[in-house]
Amino acid sequence: MLGDSDRAARFLALTGLTPEDLRASLDSPATLGAVLDFLRAHEPDLLAASEALGVEPAVLAGARERLGA
């Protein structure tokens, strides 16, 4: 997700996170949920991330439900 500078800037602006905050909280369920919500909210982002990860978009989108609140 952060490989694209426009997408990264949009994510950081929407979440209020700094790059340092993001790195420090990558193992946090809340951060993971925010990333998945961000990707699900804009299909081109979801498709790009799923392609980069080598998973189907539905699997990536469904990860949010499996993560829980």
Side-chain angles (χ1 to χ4, degrees), residues 2 8-9 11-13 15-26 31:
L2 297 179
F11 174 76
L12 294 174
T15 62
L17 292 170
T18 65
E20 294 78 22
D21 294 335
L22 182 59
R23 279 193 275 297
S25 66
L26 284 176
T31 298

Side-chain angles (χ1 to χ4, degrees), residues 1-68:
M1 177 182 77
L2 297 179
D4 178 275
S5 61
D6 290 336
R7 185 178 303 120
R10 196 165 21 90
F11 174 76
L12 294 174
L14 287 171
T15 62
L17 292 170
T18 65
E20 294 78 22
D21 294 335
L22 182 59
R23 279 193 275 297
S25 66
L26 284 176
D27 60 348
S28 163
T31 298
L32 294 174
V35 168
L36 292 169
D37 287 342
F38 174 82
L39 293 174
R40 292 179 356 156
H42 188 63
E43 186 177 17
D45 291 338
L46 177 64
L47 295 176
S50 67
E51 182 178 330
L53 294 169
V55 299
E56 291 295 319
V59 171
L60 189 56
R64 181 61 175 109
E65 281 77 30
R66 291 187 301 278
L67 183 62

